[in-house]
Amino acid sequence: MSLDIVMEDPRWEALDLEELAERAVAAALGGAGLDPAMAEATLLACDDARIAVLNADFRDKPTPTNVLSWPAAERGADRPGGAPQAPEPDAFGALELGDMAISWDTCTREATEQDKSLRDHVTHLIVHATLHLLGYDHIDAADAALMEGLEVRILASLGIADPYAEAGPAPRSDDPAPGDLERTDGQSQRRI
């Protein structure tokens, strides 16, 4: 696997982000049935100021968030709850996935608020972002169920408890407000 990490914020070094990210991305790829050795991705490890600029530039939301992802290609499923299209290897056999960014400030704040270990929370967010690179999403109930189920299985393989089993996780600032997206069963979409 080729995971390029751009360490803009030196606080990430204390977490040994390189090892953690490689393990999380490899587990996500393996859980999705892909060979991690063939994958290429980039992770920007930054702070709230930088991720707020990225969130404003790409999503028109000038606020910090925990993680962002930019898939190299559109891979979304053709129908709600369907599996996304698998990435196609390039001419050299590599699976170009895309780019991710993660914010130290938001991640540490959320881990504290949710009484989770920072390593486990960051691992979950990197797994989550990697699945977004693969075309998984949580826009509607069927897509959310597929993605969350896969996340839970991947995290369990890493010895991390189901992050959705806990009551009341803090909303992600990059998700719509609770009233913006409703599940067809009338319940608000879960957030990480």
Side-chain angles (χ1 to χ4, degrees):
M1 172 174 48
S2 174
L3 178 62
D4 294 324
I5 299 177
V6 178
M7 194 85 63
E8 275 191 2
D9 188 322
R11 294 177 290 178
W12 284 106
E13 293 173 14
L15 198 60
D16 192 13
L17 183 63
E18 186 172 333
E19 178 274 329
L20 183 152
E22 287 178 0
R23 186 171 177 246
V25 171
L29 294 171
L34 298 169
D35 181 359
M38 304 308 294
E40 295 179 355
T42 300
L43 175 65
L44 171 65
C46 60
D47 61 12
D48 270 0
R50 175 75 155 127
I51 211 161
V53 169
L54 294 170
N55 208 15
D57 288 350
F58 292 96
R59 301 183 72 242
D60 203 27
K61 295 182 179 191
T63 58
T65 188
N66 50 22
V67 69
L68 293 171
S69 57
W70 297 269
E74 173 57 44
R75 298 184 176 102
D78 294 334
R79 61 179 172 72
Q85 300 167 15
E88 293 289 327
D90 65 16
F92 303 102
L95 302 174
E96 185 179 339
L97 301 181
D99 303 320
M100 302 172 278
I102 192 163
S103 172
W104 175 266
D105 304 298
T106 298
C107 289
T108 55
R109 184 180 68 253
E110 287 176 347
T112 299
E113 290 170 353
Q114 297 172 26
D115 196 28
K116 296 178 178 178
S117 97
L118 181 58
R119 287 187 65 82
D120 287 356
H121 187 54
V122 169
T123 299
H124 177 208
L125 293 172
I126 292 172
V127 165
H128 184 85
T130 303
L131 292 178
H132 275 310
L133 296 181
L134 296 176
Y136 290 89
D137 213 329
H138 43 87
I139 297 298
D140 61 41
D143 290 337
L146 178 68
M147 184 173 182
E148 290 172 7
L150 185 54
E151 283 177 69
V152 168
R153 288 189 301 277
I154 292 165
L155 293 171
S157 77
L158 295 170
I160 297 173
D162 177 354
Y164 299 108
E166 300 175 24
R172 290 184 12 198
S173 57
D174 69 332
D175 279 342
D180 289 351
L181 284 179
E182 293 289 323
R183 291 185 166 185
T184 55
D185 62 5
Q187 297 178 2
S188 294
Q189 180 173 325
R190 288 189 196 173
R191 312 215 185 274
I192 61 171

